[in-house]
Amino acid sequence: MKKLFNVVLCIMMIFSLTGCKDTASMAVEEYLSKYNSLHDDVISDMNAIIESENLSEENRTTYESIFKKQYTDLTYEITEEEYDGDEAIVKAKIKVYDLYKVQNDASVYLANNQSKFNDENGKYDVEKFIKYKLEQMKNTVDTVEYTIDFYLVKTSQGWVVSSLSRTDLEKIHGIYNYES
């Protein structure tokens, strides 16, 4: 799944350049609302991410539902904005499903119960584990809050959100390693 987030990083860097509004806060709200509304850009990026994974059709469908749930249920609040000429920093508090914890819990479960993920010949079946992990991710209700500093620049078309860091994208996706 690390390959997934390298792809996410590249795609979201391109996506982040599309939001423009009269104030920096409005540009951030537009950016985040694209997730909530499953904007075509978000769906296109999501499909590219899912396609990059080597998943069965069933697991691919489950993964898509996880992304859609994460995006539509993402909540945010602009907490601060600071301007310095044609540059701005907007702080936003986001709340997402804690998929990092779910993935960690699934890995611990695998380590303690590997035989549950064996095929009929007693060999480890990675698809069984992926299916288990995705089901846990799909069914989670645990959330986590993060603060993201959005960096913006003012152009002739308004305020534009600059590319997000990998860490900030991981926060939006709920997979940020907050234990390290």
Side-chain angles (χ1 to χ4, degrees):
M1 292 206 170
K2 284 190 179 215
K3 182 170 94 174
L4 157 77
F5 295 103
N6 288 333
V7 173
V8 168
L9 181 61
C10 291
I11 292 171
M12 296 312 290
M13 288 173 73
I14 294 166
F15 174 72
S16 68
L17 297 174
T18 62
C20 298
K21 282 295 180 188
D22 295 333
T23 69
S25 290
M26 289 172 71
V28 170
E29 287 177 358
E30 179 182 274
Y31 178 89
L32 292 171
S33 72
K34 286 183 177 183
Y35 284 97
N36 294 141
S37 66
L38 299 175
H39 187 274
D40 289 343
D41 292 339
V42 172
I43 294 299
S44 176
D45 293 345
M46 177 194 73
N47 288 333
I49 293 163
I50 292 171
E51 196 60 38
S52 73
E53 294 294 317
N54 187 21
L55 300 172
S56 68
E57 189 60 38
E58 178 184 2
N59 287 340
R60 189 173 292 145
T61 300
T62 303
Y63 207 15
E64 182 179 323
S65 70
I66 292 165
F67 270 116
K68 287 181 176 179
K69 177 181 171 187
Q70 183 74 296
Y71 295 160
T72 58
D73 292 354
L74 175 147
T75 61
Y76 58 90
E77 174 188 359
I78 304 299
T79 59
E80 185 179 330
E81 68 182 332
E82 184 178 310
Y83 292 88
D84 184 10
D86 288 344
E87 297 179 356
I89 299 172
V90 175
K91 290 185 184 289
K93 183 170 36 169
I94 66 167
K95 187 177 194 179
V96 293
Y97 292 110
D98 192 353
L99 300 180
Y100 171 77
K101 179 182 181 303
V102 174
Q103 291 184 58
N104 273 355
D105 291 349
S107 294
V108 169
Y109 186 78
L110 171 63
N112 294 323
N113 301 280
Q114 188 162 356
S115 63
K116 290 187 177 194
F117 302 102
N118 289 345
D119 63 17
E120 60 276 351
N121 298 322
K123 293 181 81 176
Y124 174 69
D125 183 347
V126 69
E127 275 296 310
K128 281 186 176 181
F129 176 67
I130 290 172
K131 181 178 180 173
Y132 168 80
K133 181 168 64 170
L134 290 174
E135 282 300 316
Q136 300 307 303
M137 292 168 69
K138 181 179 174 183
N139 295 323
T140 192
V141 294
D142 295 336
T143 59
V144 62
E145 288 186 359
Y146 298 112
T147 298
I148 297 177
D149 289 343
F150 289 88
Y151 297 91
L152 298 97
V153 293
K154 189 170 187 178
T155 69
S156 60
Q157 298 164 316
W159 289 97
V160 179
V161 175
S162 298
S163 299
L164 295 182
S165 70
R166 179 185 181 108
T167 298
D168 290 337
L169 290 171
E170 289 175 352
K171 289 176 180 179
I172 290 172
H173 288 94
I175 59 151
Y176 174 67
N177 180 354
Y178 49 77
E179 295 180 331
S180 63

